[in-house]
Short mmCIF file of all heavy atoms in Angstrom, two decimals:
data_model
loop_
_atom_site.label_atom_id
_atom_site.label_comp_id
_atom_site.label_asym_id
_atom_site.label_seq_id
_atom_site.Cartn_x
_atom_site.Cartn_y
_atom_site.Cartn_z
N GLY A 1 4.97 65.43 -99.11
CA GLY A 1 6.11 65.31 -99.98
C GLY A 1 6.34 63.99 -100.61
O GLY A 1 7.44 63.73 -101.03
N TRP A 2 5.37 63.13 -100.48
CA TRP A 2 5.60 61.73 -101.02
C TRP A 2 5.20 61.68 -102.48
O TRP A 2 4.33 62.37 -102.91
CB TRP A 2 4.72 60.70 -100.25
CG TRP A 2 5.10 60.56 -98.78
CD1 TRP A 2 6.21 61.00 -98.26
CD2 TRP A 2 4.43 59.81 -97.87
NE1 TRP A 2 6.28 60.60 -96.93
CE2 TRP A 2 5.15 59.89 -96.68
CE3 TRP A 2 3.23 59.13 -97.90
CZ2 TRP A 2 4.74 59.37 -95.45
CZ3 TRP A 2 2.82 58.57 -96.67
CH2 TRP A 2 3.53 58.65 -95.55
N GLU A 3 5.93 60.81 -103.27
CA GLU A 3 5.44 60.56 -104.60
C GLU A 3 4.42 59.52 -104.72
O GLU A 3 4.41 58.52 -103.99
CB GLU A 3 6.72 60.09 -105.43
CG GLU A 3 7.76 61.20 -105.71
CD GLU A 3 7.23 62.15 -106.80
OE1 GLU A 3 6.59 61.80 -107.70
OE2 GLU A 3 7.51 63.37 -106.56
N VAL A 4 3.45 59.75 -105.63
CA VAL A 4 2.39 58.78 -105.82
C VAL A 4 2.97 57.67 -106.65
O VAL A 4 3.55 57.82 -107.70
CB VAL A 4 1.23 59.40 -106.48
CG1 VAL A 4 0.16 58.36 -106.77
CG2 VAL A 4 0.63 60.54 -105.68
N GLU A 5 2.77 56.41 -106.09
CA GLU A 5 3.21 55.26 -106.90
C GLU A 5 2.24 54.71 -107.77
O GLU A 5 2.48 54.24 -108.85
CB GLU A 5 3.76 54.14 -105.88
CG GLU A 5 5.01 54.53 -105.10
CD GLU A 5 5.44 53.44 -104.23
OE1 GLU A 5 5.09 52.27 -104.36
OE2 GLU A 5 6.22 53.76 -103.29
N LYS A 6 0.93 54.62 -107.19
CA LYS A 6 -0.17 54.15 -108.03
C LYS A 6 -1.48 54.49 -107.29
O LYS A 6 -1.46 54.77 -106.13
CB LYS A 6 -0.07 52.57 -108.14
CG LYS A 6 -0.14 51.81 -106.83
CD LYS A 6 0.01 50.34 -107.11
CE LYS A 6 0.12 49.53 -105.72
NZ LYS A 6 0.28 48.11 -105.95
N LEU A 7 -2.58 54.38 -108.00
CA LEU A 7 -3.90 54.57 -107.44
C LEU A 7 -4.52 53.17 -107.48
O LEU A 7 -4.37 52.43 -108.35
CB LEU A 7 -4.73 55.53 -108.24
CG LEU A 7 -4.13 56.85 -108.46
CD1 LEU A 7 -4.90 57.67 -109.44
CD2 LEU A 7 -4.04 57.56 -107.20
N VAL A 8 -5.25 52.86 -106.39
CA VAL A 8 -5.87 51.58 -106.26
C VAL A 8 -7.37 51.71 -105.90
O VAL A 8 -7.76 52.46 -105.02
CB VAL A 8 -5.21 50.72 -105.20
CG1 VAL A 8 -5.78 49.39 -105.11
CG2 VAL A 8 -3.65 50.60 -105.45
N TYR A 9 -8.20 51.08 -106.73
CA TYR A 9 -9.65 50.95 -106.41
C TYR A 9 -9.84 49.56 -105.69
O TYR A 9 -9.43 48.62 -106.16
CB TYR A 9 -10.41 50.94 -107.67
CG TYR A 9 -10.55 52.26 -108.37
CD1 TYR A 9 -9.84 52.47 -109.55
CD2 TYR A 9 -11.42 53.29 -107.84
CE1 TYR A 9 -9.87 53.70 -110.13
CE2 TYR A 9 -11.36 54.44 -108.55
CZ TYR A 9 -10.72 54.65 -109.61
OH TYR A 9 -10.75 55.88 -110.36
N TYR A 10 -10.49 49.70 -104.48
CA TYR A 10 -10.75 48.49 -103.73
C TYR A 10 -12.26 48.16 -103.92
O TYR A 10 -13.05 48.98 -103.56
CB TYR A 10 -10.37 48.66 -102.29
CG TYR A 10 -8.92 48.66 -102.07
CD1 TYR A 10 -8.33 49.95 -101.92
CD2 TYR A 10 -8.13 47.59 -102.01
CE1 TYR A 10 -7.00 50.06 -101.65
CE2 TYR A 10 -6.75 47.65 -101.77
CZ TYR A 10 -6.22 48.95 -101.58
OH TYR A 10 -4.86 48.98 -101.36
N TYR A 11 -12.61 46.97 -104.41
CA TYR A 11 -13.99 46.54 -104.53
C TYR A 11 -14.39 45.70 -103.43
O TYR A 11 -13.77 44.51 -103.25
CB TYR A 11 -14.18 45.81 -105.89
CG TYR A 11 -13.98 46.80 -107.03
CD1 TYR A 11 -12.80 46.88 -107.73
CD2 TYR A 11 -15.06 47.56 -107.44
CE1 TYR A 11 -12.60 47.76 -108.78
CE2 TYR A 11 -14.92 48.44 -108.55
CZ TYR A 11 -13.61 48.56 -109.18
OH TYR A 11 -13.52 49.43 -110.25
N LEU A 12 -15.10 46.17 -102.51
CA LEU A 12 -15.48 45.40 -101.33
C LEU A 12 -16.48 44.28 -101.56
O LEU A 12 -16.49 43.32 -100.75
CB LEU A 12 -16.14 46.38 -100.33
CG LEU A 12 -15.25 47.59 -99.95
CD1 LEU A 12 -16.00 48.51 -98.88
CD2 LEU A 12 -13.85 47.21 -99.36
N ASP A 13 -17.23 44.33 -102.68
CA ASP A 13 -18.18 43.17 -102.92
C ASP A 13 -17.45 41.84 -103.12
O ASP A 13 -17.85 40.88 -102.58
CB ASP A 13 -19.07 43.47 -104.12
CG ASP A 13 -20.04 44.60 -103.98
OD1 ASP A 13 -20.27 44.89 -102.78
OD2 ASP A 13 -20.42 45.16 -104.92
N ASN A 14 -16.36 41.87 -103.90
CA ASN A 14 -15.62 40.67 -104.15
C ASN A 14 -14.25 40.64 -103.66
O ASN A 14 -13.42 39.78 -104.06
CB ASN A 14 -15.76 40.19 -105.68
CG ASN A 14 -15.21 41.40 -106.56
OD1 ASN A 14 -14.71 42.41 -105.99
ND2 ASN A 14 -15.40 41.26 -107.76
N ASN A 15 -13.84 41.62 -102.87
CA ASN A 15 -12.46 41.72 -102.24
C ASN A 15 -11.38 41.73 -103.31
O ASN A 15 -10.42 41.02 -103.16
CB ASN A 15 -12.28 40.68 -101.28
CG ASN A 15 -11.16 40.90 -100.26
OD1 ASN A 15 -10.86 42.08 -100.04
ND2 ASN A 15 -10.53 39.88 -99.85
N THR A 16 -11.52 42.55 -104.39
CA THR A 16 -10.58 42.66 -105.39
C THR A 16 -10.03 44.06 -105.44
O THR A 16 -10.59 45.01 -104.91
CB THR A 16 -11.12 42.27 -106.74
OG1 THR A 16 -12.14 43.12 -107.06
CG2 THR A 16 -11.50 40.88 -106.74
N GLU A 17 -8.91 44.28 -106.09
CA GLU A 17 -8.37 45.67 -106.26
C GLU A 17 -7.84 45.75 -107.70
O GLU A 17 -7.39 44.85 -108.29
CB GLU A 17 -7.27 45.88 -105.25
CG GLU A 17 -6.00 45.03 -105.38
CD GLU A 17 -5.00 45.34 -104.31
OE1 GLU A 17 -5.37 45.27 -103.14
OE2 GLU A 17 -3.86 45.75 -104.67
N ILE A 18 -7.88 46.98 -108.14
CA ILE A 18 -7.36 47.36 -109.49
C ILE A 18 -6.43 48.56 -109.24
O ILE A 18 -6.90 49.58 -108.77
CB ILE A 18 -8.47 47.65 -110.52
CG1 ILE A 18 -9.36 46.50 -110.76
CG2 ILE A 18 -7.92 48.09 -111.74
CD1 ILE A 18 -10.53 46.63 -111.64
N SER A 19 -5.14 48.37 -109.86
CA SER A 19 -4.30 49.49 -109.76
C SER A 19 -4.25 50.30 -111.03
O SER A 19 -4.49 49.82 -112.09
CB SER A 19 -2.87 48.97 -109.44
OG SER A 19 -2.87 48.28 -108.27
N PHE A 20 -3.92 51.55 -110.89
CA PHE A 20 -3.83 52.46 -112.03
C PHE A 20 -2.80 53.58 -111.81
O PHE A 20 -2.74 54.12 -110.65
CB PHE A 20 -5.29 53.16 -112.27
CG PHE A 20 -5.20 54.22 -113.24
CD1 PHE A 20 -5.38 53.85 -114.69
CD2 PHE A 20 -5.20 55.49 -112.98
CE1 PHE A 20 -5.34 54.82 -115.57
CE2 PHE A 20 -5.28 56.56 -113.96
CZ PHE A 20 -5.28 56.16 -115.23
N LEU A 21 -2.01 53.85 -112.70
CA LEU A 21 -1.12 55.02 -112.63
C LEU A 21 -1.35 55.84 -113.94
O LEU A 21 -1.00 55.34 -114.99
CB LEU A 21 0.33 54.56 -112.47
CG LEU A 21 1.31 55.69 -112.29
CD1 LEU A 21 0.95 56.54 -111.06
CD2 LEU A 21 2.67 55.14 -112.11
N GLY A 22 -1.87 56.99 -113.82
CA GLY A 22 -2.11 57.81 -114.94
C GLY A 22 -0.88 58.45 -115.57
O GLY A 22 0.31 58.44 -114.91
N GLU A 23 -1.02 58.92 -116.76
CA GLU A 23 0.01 59.53 -117.50
C GLU A 23 -0.18 60.99 -117.49
O GLU A 23 -1.23 61.51 -117.09
CB GLU A 23 0.15 59.02 -118.95
CG GLU A 23 0.49 57.55 -118.91
CD GLU A 23 0.48 57.05 -120.42
OE1 GLU A 23 0.32 57.81 -121.37
OE2 GLU A 23 0.65 55.82 -120.54
N GLU A 24 0.77 61.77 -117.90
CA GLU A 24 0.69 63.27 -117.86
C GLU A 24 -0.58 63.72 -118.64
O GLU A 24 -1.19 64.61 -118.34
CB GLU A 24 2.05 63.90 -118.43
CG GLU A 24 2.06 65.36 -118.25
CD GLU A 24 2.23 65.75 -116.72
OE1 GLU A 24 2.88 64.99 -116.01
OE2 GLU A 24 1.65 66.84 -116.47
N LYS A 25 -0.87 63.05 -119.86
CA LYS A 25 -2.01 63.51 -120.67
C LYS A 25 -3.20 63.31 -119.94
O LYS A 25 -4.12 64.03 -119.96
CB LYS A 25 -1.99 62.85 -122.05
CG LYS A 25 -2.75 61.47 -122.00
CD LYS A 25 -2.79 60.95 -123.46
CE LYS A 25 -3.38 59.57 -123.29
NZ LYS A 25 -4.49 59.15 -123.98
N ASP A 26 -3.32 62.20 -119.05
CA ASP A 26 -4.55 61.93 -118.27
C ASP A 26 -4.70 63.04 -117.29
O ASP A 26 -5.94 63.51 -117.04
CB ASP A 26 -4.39 60.65 -117.45
CG ASP A 26 -4.32 59.38 -118.41
OD1 ASP A 26 -5.00 59.42 -119.51
OD2 ASP A 26 -3.47 58.47 -118.14
N LEU A 27 -3.72 63.62 -116.63
CA LEU A 27 -3.72 64.66 -115.69
C LEU A 27 -4.24 65.86 -116.40
O LEU A 27 -5.09 66.64 -115.83
CB LEU A 27 -2.39 64.93 -115.11
CG LEU A 27 -2.28 65.99 -114.01
CD1 LEU A 27 -3.23 65.78 -112.94
CD2 LEU A 27 -0.82 66.20 -113.56
N GLY A 28 -3.72 66.20 -117.59
CA GLY A 28 -4.22 67.33 -118.39
C GLY A 28 -5.64 67.28 -118.70
O GLY A 28 -6.35 68.25 -118.56
N GLU A 29 -6.14 66.13 -119.14
CA GLU A 29 -7.55 65.98 -119.39
C GLU A 29 -8.43 66.11 -118.18
O GLU A 29 -9.53 66.83 -118.34
CB GLU A 29 -7.72 64.63 -120.01
CG GLU A 29 -7.18 64.37 -121.37
CD GLU A 29 -7.30 62.99 -121.88
OE1 GLU A 29 -7.82 62.10 -121.23
OE2 GLU A 29 -6.74 62.67 -123.01
N THR A 30 -7.98 65.62 -117.08
CA THR A 30 -8.73 65.71 -115.85
C THR A 30 -8.80 67.21 -115.36
O THR A 30 -9.91 67.74 -114.95
CB THR A 30 -8.14 64.85 -114.75
OG1 THR A 30 -8.14 63.53 -115.17
CG2 THR A 30 -8.96 64.98 -113.41
N LYS A 31 -7.71 67.89 -115.50
CA LYS A 31 -7.69 69.34 -115.10
C LYS A 31 -8.60 70.12 -116.04
O LYS A 31 -9.35 71.02 -115.53
CB LYS A 31 -6.28 69.92 -115.29
CG LYS A 31 -5.33 69.57 -114.20
CD LYS A 31 -3.97 70.21 -114.35
CE LYS A 31 -3.00 69.90 -113.20
NZ LYS A 31 -1.72 70.50 -113.32
N GLU A 32 -8.66 69.80 -117.32
CA GLU A 32 -9.54 70.48 -118.29
C GLU A 32 -11.01 70.21 -117.89
O GLU A 32 -11.81 71.16 -117.97
CB GLU A 32 -9.28 70.09 -119.65
CG GLU A 32 -10.06 70.75 -120.74
CD GLU A 32 -9.89 72.28 -120.71
OE1 GLU A 32 -8.79 72.71 -120.51
OE2 GLU A 32 -10.83 73.09 -120.91
N LYS A 33 -11.33 68.98 -117.61
CA LYS A 33 -12.80 68.73 -117.21
C LYS A 33 -13.14 69.48 -115.93
O LYS A 33 -14.30 69.96 -115.76
CB LYS A 33 -12.89 67.24 -116.95
CG LYS A 33 -12.95 66.35 -118.11
CD LYS A 33 -13.06 64.87 -117.79
CE LYS A 33 -12.95 64.04 -119.10
NZ LYS A 33 -13.06 62.63 -118.80
N ILE A 34 -12.25 69.53 -114.96
CA ILE A 34 -12.51 70.25 -113.72
C ILE A 34 -12.74 71.77 -113.98
O ILE A 34 -13.63 72.40 -113.50
CB ILE A 34 -11.34 70.06 -112.72
CG1 ILE A 34 -11.42 68.58 -112.31
CG2 ILE A 34 -11.49 70.99 -111.51
CD1 ILE A 34 -10.20 68.17 -111.39
N ILE A 35 -11.90 72.28 -114.83
CA ILE A 35 -12.03 73.68 -115.18
C ILE A 35 -13.37 74.07 -115.86
O ILE A 35 -14.03 74.97 -115.57
CB ILE A 35 -10.84 74.14 -116.09
CG1 ILE A 35 -9.56 74.25 -115.26
CG2 ILE A 35 -11.09 75.53 -116.75
CD1 ILE A 35 -8.26 74.34 -116.04
N GLN A 36 -13.86 73.08 -116.83
CA GLN A 36 -15.08 73.26 -117.48
C GLN A 36 -16.17 73.20 -116.39
O GLN A 36 -17.11 73.95 -116.50
CB GLN A 36 -15.23 72.27 -118.44
CG GLN A 36 -14.27 72.47 -119.75
CD GLN A 36 -14.47 71.28 -120.75
OE1 GLN A 36 -15.11 70.30 -120.49
NE2 GLN A 36 -13.71 71.45 -121.91
N LEU A 37 -16.10 72.31 -115.52
CA LEU A 37 -17.15 72.18 -114.46
C LEU A 37 -17.29 73.48 -113.69
O LEU A 37 -18.41 73.89 -113.31
CB LEU A 37 -16.93 70.99 -113.53
CG LEU A 37 -17.17 69.59 -114.15
CD1 LEU A 37 -16.66 68.49 -113.32
CD2 LEU A 37 -18.68 69.36 -114.37
N ILE A 38 -16.06 73.94 -113.25
CA ILE A 38 -16.08 75.18 -112.44
C ILE A 38 -16.64 76.35 -113.23
O ILE A 38 -17.46 77.06 -112.70
CB ILE A 38 -14.65 75.54 -111.91
CG1 ILE A 38 -14.16 74.46 -110.96
CG2 ILE A 38 -14.60 76.89 -111.32
CD1 ILE A 38 -12.67 74.51 -110.56
N GLU A 39 -16.31 76.51 -114.50
CA GLU A 39 -16.81 77.54 -115.32
C GLU A 39 -18.38 77.41 -115.46
O GLU A 39 -19.05 78.42 -115.48
CB GLU A 39 -16.22 77.54 -116.65
CG GLU A 39 -14.73 78.06 -116.63
CD GLU A 39 -14.04 77.86 -118.01
OE1 GLU A 39 -14.56 77.27 -118.87
OE2 GLU A 39 -12.90 78.50 -118.09
N GLY A 40 -18.84 76.21 -115.63
CA GLY A 40 -20.28 76.02 -115.66
C GLY A 40 -21.02 76.44 -114.45
O GLY A 40 -22.04 77.07 -114.42
N ILE A 41 -20.38 76.09 -113.22
CA ILE A 41 -21.00 76.49 -112.01
C ILE A 41 -20.96 78.08 -111.88
O ILE A 41 -22.03 78.67 -111.44
CB ILE A 41 -20.29 75.82 -110.82
CG1 ILE A 41 -20.50 74.37 -110.88
CG2 ILE A 41 -20.59 76.48 -109.51
CD1 ILE A 41 -19.57 73.45 -109.92
N MET A 42 -19.89 78.64 -112.17
CA MET A 42 -19.78 80.12 -112.02
C MET A 42 -20.75 80.84 -113.01
O MET A 42 -21.21 81.89 -112.69
CB MET A 42 -18.32 80.47 -112.37
CG MET A 42 -17.25 79.90 -111.45
SD MET A 42 -17.50 80.59 -109.77
CE MET A 42 -16.71 82.21 -109.91
N ASN A 43 -21.13 80.15 -114.14
CA ASN A 43 -22.06 80.78 -115.08
C ASN A 43 -23.44 80.30 -114.89
O ASN A 43 -24.32 80.57 -115.65
CB ASN A 43 -21.63 80.44 -116.51
CG ASN A 43 -20.30 81.15 -116.95
OD1 ASN A 43 -20.07 82.28 -116.52
ND2 ASN A 43 -19.47 80.46 -117.67
N PHE A 44 -23.72 79.59 -113.80
CA PHE A 44 -25.11 79.11 -113.47
C PHE A 44 -25.65 78.21 -114.61
O PHE A 44 -26.78 78.24 -114.91
CB PHE A 44 -26.02 80.20 -113.14
CG PHE A 44 -25.60 81.02 -111.96
CD1 PHE A 44 -24.93 82.24 -112.14
CD2 PHE A 44 -25.86 80.59 -110.66
CE1 PHE A 44 -24.60 82.98 -111.06
CE2 PHE A 44 -25.47 81.24 -109.58
CZ PHE A 44 -24.91 82.45 -109.70
N ASP A 45 -24.67 77.40 -115.23
CA ASP A 45 -25.10 76.53 -116.39
C ASP A 45 -25.38 75.18 -115.79
O ASP A 45 -24.50 74.36 -115.64
CB ASP A 45 -23.94 76.52 -117.32
CG ASP A 45 -24.26 75.67 -118.56
OD1 ASP A 45 -25.42 75.30 -118.83
OD2 ASP A 45 -23.40 75.33 -119.40
N PHE A 46 -26.72 74.93 -115.52
CA PHE A 46 -27.11 73.65 -114.88
C PHE A 46 -28.07 72.96 -115.81
O PHE A 46 -29.17 72.67 -115.39
CB PHE A 46 -27.74 73.99 -113.53
CG PHE A 46 -26.72 74.63 -112.49
CD1 PHE A 46 -27.01 75.92 -112.21
CD2 PHE A 46 -25.77 73.90 -112.03
CE1 PHE A 46 -26.13 76.54 -111.31
CE2 PHE A 46 -24.90 74.52 -111.04
CZ PHE A 46 -25.06 75.82 -110.68
N LYS A 47 -27.61 72.68 -117.13
CA LYS A 47 -28.52 72.09 -117.99
C LYS A 47 -28.66 70.65 -117.66
O LYS A 47 -27.85 69.97 -117.11
CB LYS A 47 -27.80 72.07 -119.44
CG LYS A 47 -27.76 73.41 -119.99
CD LYS A 47 -27.15 73.51 -121.36
CE LYS A 47 -27.03 74.91 -121.88
NZ LYS A 47 -25.61 75.25 -122.17
N ALA A 48 -29.83 70.08 -117.93
CA ALA A 48 -30.10 68.65 -117.64
C ALA A 48 -29.22 67.80 -118.54
O ALA A 48 -29.09 68.03 -119.69
CB ALA A 48 -31.64 68.39 -117.89
N THR A 49 -28.80 66.74 -117.94
CA THR A 49 -27.98 65.69 -118.76
C THR A 49 -28.59 64.33 -118.50
O THR A 49 -27.98 63.46 -117.86
CB THR A 49 -26.50 65.72 -118.30
OG1 THR A 49 -26.42 65.59 -116.88
CG2 THR A 49 -25.87 67.12 -118.76
N PRO A 50 -29.81 64.15 -119.12
CA PRO A 50 -30.47 62.79 -118.80
C PRO A 50 -29.79 61.68 -119.44
O PRO A 50 -29.10 61.78 -120.42
CB PRO A 50 -31.84 63.07 -119.45
CG PRO A 50 -31.70 64.12 -120.47
CD PRO A 50 -30.50 64.97 -119.95
N GLY A 51 -29.91 60.57 -118.79
CA GLY A 51 -29.40 59.29 -119.34
C GLY A 51 -29.92 58.16 -118.42
O GLY A 51 -30.21 58.36 -117.28
N MET A 52 -29.96 56.99 -118.89
CA MET A 52 -30.45 55.88 -118.17
C MET A 52 -29.73 55.68 -116.83
O MET A 52 -30.36 55.54 -115.77
CB MET A 52 -30.35 54.59 -119.01
CG MET A 52 -31.33 54.55 -120.11
SD MET A 52 -32.98 54.47 -119.73
CE MET A 52 -33.11 52.77 -119.02
N HIS A 53 -28.43 55.74 -116.84
CA HIS A 53 -27.65 55.48 -115.66
C HIS A 53 -27.72 56.69 -114.70
O HIS A 53 -27.94 56.64 -113.44
CB HIS A 53 -26.15 55.20 -115.94
CG HIS A 53 -25.36 54.95 -114.71
ND1 HIS A 53 -25.46 53.76 -113.96
CD2 HIS A 53 -24.45 55.63 -114.05
CE1 HIS A 53 -24.67 53.80 -112.96
NE2 HIS A 53 -23.99 54.91 -112.99
N THR A 54 -27.66 57.91 -115.25
CA THR A 54 -27.74 59.18 -114.48
C THR A 54 -29.12 59.29 -113.80
O THR A 54 -29.13 59.56 -112.60
CB THR A 54 -27.45 60.39 -115.33
OG1 THR A 54 -26.24 60.12 -116.07
CG2 THR A 54 -27.38 61.62 -114.58
N CYS A 55 -30.11 59.06 -114.53
CA CYS A 55 -31.54 59.32 -113.99
C CYS A 55 -31.87 58.29 -113.00
O CYS A 55 -32.62 58.52 -112.07
CB CYS A 55 -32.52 59.29 -115.11
SG CYS A 55 -32.35 60.69 -116.28
N LYS A 56 -31.34 57.05 -113.17
CA LYS A 56 -31.63 56.02 -112.19
C LYS A 56 -31.33 56.30 -110.83
O LYS A 56 -31.94 55.99 -109.76
CB LYS A 56 -30.87 54.68 -112.68
CG LYS A 56 -31.21 53.50 -111.75
CD LYS A 56 -30.45 52.23 -112.33
CE LYS A 56 -30.81 51.06 -111.58
NZ LYS A 56 -30.14 49.93 -112.04
N TYR A 57 -30.25 57.06 -110.57
CA TYR A 57 -29.77 57.43 -109.21
C TYR A 57 -29.98 58.86 -108.79
O TYR A 57 -29.54 59.32 -107.72
CB TYR A 57 -28.28 57.14 -109.13
CG TYR A 57 -27.99 55.63 -109.33
CD1 TYR A 57 -27.44 55.25 -110.56
CD2 TYR A 57 -28.31 54.65 -108.37
CE1 TYR A 57 -27.24 53.84 -110.88
CE2 TYR A 57 -27.98 53.39 -108.68
CZ TYR A 57 -27.52 52.93 -109.89
OH TYR A 57 -27.26 51.55 -110.12
N CYS A 58 -30.69 59.66 -109.62
CA CYS A 58 -30.94 61.02 -109.37
C CYS A 58 -32.05 61.25 -108.36
O CYS A 58 -33.17 60.54 -108.40
CB CYS A 58 -31.27 61.74 -110.60
SG CYS A 58 -31.65 63.54 -110.39
N ASP A 59 -31.83 62.27 -107.35
CA ASP A 59 -32.85 62.45 -106.31
C ASP A 59 -34.06 63.05 -106.88
O ASP A 59 -35.11 63.08 -106.20
CB ASP A 59 -32.20 63.29 -105.21
CG ASP A 59 -31.17 62.55 -104.39
OD1 ASP A 59 -31.25 61.31 -104.37
OD2 ASP A 59 -30.27 63.23 -103.85
N PHE A 60 -33.93 63.63 -108.01
CA PHE A 60 -35.14 64.41 -108.60
C PHE A 60 -35.75 63.77 -109.76
O PHE A 60 -36.57 64.33 -110.48
CB PHE A 60 -34.55 65.83 -109.08
CG PHE A 60 -33.94 66.58 -107.93
CD1 PHE A 60 -32.55 66.60 -107.87
CD2 PHE A 60 -34.63 67.26 -107.03
CE1 PHE A 60 -31.97 67.34 -106.83
CE2 PHE A 60 -34.08 67.97 -106.03
CZ PHE A 60 -32.67 68.04 -105.94
N SER A 61 -35.52 62.54 -109.92
CA SER A 61 -36.01 61.80 -111.14
C SER A 61 -37.58 61.78 -111.16
O SER A 61 -38.26 61.65 -112.17
CB SER A 61 -35.47 60.35 -111.23
OG SER A 61 -35.77 59.60 -110.01
N ASP A 62 -38.25 61.75 -109.93
CA ASP A 62 -39.70 61.69 -109.83
C ASP A 62 -40.37 62.97 -110.39
O ASP A 62 -41.50 62.90 -110.81
CB ASP A 62 -40.12 61.45 -108.36
CG ASP A 62 -39.67 60.05 -107.91
OD1 ASP A 62 -39.51 59.16 -108.75
OD2 ASP A 62 -39.71 59.80 -106.66
N ILE A 63 -39.65 64.03 -110.40
CA ILE A 63 -40.30 65.36 -110.76
C ILE A 63 -39.62 65.98 -111.91
O ILE A 63 -40.06 67.08 -112.40
CB ILE A 63 -40.26 66.38 -109.51
CG1 ILE A 63 -38.86 66.63 -109.11
CG2 ILE A 63 -41.10 65.84 -108.40
CD1 ILE A 63 -38.71 67.77 -108.12
N CYS A 64 -38.65 65.34 -112.45
CA CYS A 64 -37.91 66.03 -113.64
C CYS A 64 -38.54 65.70 -115.02
O CYS A 64 -38.90 64.51 -115.33
CB CYS A 64 -36.43 65.38 -113.69
SG CYS A 64 -35.42 66.13 -114.98
N GLY A 65 -38.77 66.68 -115.81
CA GLY A 65 -39.39 66.54 -117.03
C GLY A 65 -38.35 66.03 -118.14
O GLY A 65 -38.79 65.75 -119.24
N PHE A 66 -37.10 66.01 -117.76
CA PHE A 66 -36.01 65.53 -118.73
C PHE A 66 -35.63 64.06 -118.50
O PHE A 66 -34.87 63.59 -119.22
CB PHE A 66 -34.81 66.44 -118.67
CG PHE A 66 -35.06 67.81 -118.98
CD1 PHE A 66 -35.29 68.80 -118.01
CD2 PHE A 66 -35.19 68.26 -120.33
CE1 PHE A 66 -35.55 70.12 -118.28
CE2 PHE A 66 -35.41 69.58 -120.59
CZ PHE A 66 -35.69 70.55 -119.64
N ARG A 67 -36.17 63.45 -117.43
CA ARG A 67 -35.71 62.10 -117.05
C ARG A 67 -35.83 61.11 -118.17
O ARG A 67 -36.82 61.08 -118.98
CB ARG A 67 -36.42 61.67 -115.77
CG ARG A 67 -37.87 61.30 -116.03
CD ARG A 67 -38.39 60.80 -114.70
NE ARG A 67 -39.81 60.28 -114.91
CZ ARG A 67 -40.87 61.10 -114.57
NH1 ARG A 67 -40.69 62.36 -114.08
NH2 ARG A 67 -42.11 60.58 -114.81
N GLU A 68 -34.98 60.10 -118.15
CA GLU A 68 -35.00 58.91 -119.00
C GLU A 68 -35.15 57.71 -118.01
O GLU A 68 -34.22 57.53 -117.28
CB GLU A 68 -33.80 58.81 -119.93
CG GLU A 68 -33.72 59.84 -120.96
CD GLU A 68 -32.52 59.63 -121.90
OE1 GLU A 68 -31.92 58.58 -121.89
OE2 GLU A 68 -32.20 60.56 -122.65
N LEU A 69 -36.18 56.95 -118.25
CA LEU A 69 -36.29 55.78 -117.35
C LEU A 69 -36.18 54.50 -118.16
O LEU A 69 -36.28 54.35 -119.31
CB LEU A 69 -37.64 55.88 -116.73
CG LEU A 69 -37.99 57.05 -115.86
CD1 LEU A 69 -39.33 57.04 -115.35
CD2 LEU A 69 -37.03 57.08 -114.75
#
């Protein structure tokens, strides 16, 4: 039953923190993204989304025909 005052990211590398408090539109956008992800999973829509950052950390990058290195 507590009200959220702020969200805080703690960066352990340099011991800093960044605070954030979203607005109502941010919440709506996040809900829409989550709904789209759920619908994709329910429809077995697992299209490749290659990209330099994504592929760099993907467990399947060694065998993926869509990878970008």
Side-chain angles (χ1 to χ4, degrees):
W2 295 349
E3 286 288 320
V4 175
E5 292 179 19
K6 63 182 175 180
L7 303 174
V8 180
Y9 289 104
Y10 292 99
Y11 293 95
L12 302 178
D13 289 342
N14 57 6
N15 198 30
T16 60
E17 63 181 60
I18 296 176
S19 300
F20 173 80
L21 183 59
E23 297 176 4
E24 193 64 35
K25 88 173 175 130
D26 298 322
L27 180 60
E29 290 173 4
T30 302
K31 282 183 181 180
E32 184 60 35
K33 286 181 185 178
I34 292 170
I35 290 169
Q36 288 175 357
L37 287 170
I38 291 170
E39 289 173 350
I41 292 169
M42 299 293 285
N43 293 323
F44 299 97
D45 183 12
F46 300 106
K47 294 180 185 122
T49 55
M52 290 293 288
H53 183 72
T54 306
C55 295
K56 182 177 180 180
Y57 299 103
C58 179
D59 292 335
F60 302 99
S61 62
D62 292 338
I63 61 171
C64 180
F66 299 99
R67 71 178 183 259
E68 289 185 15
L69 300 176

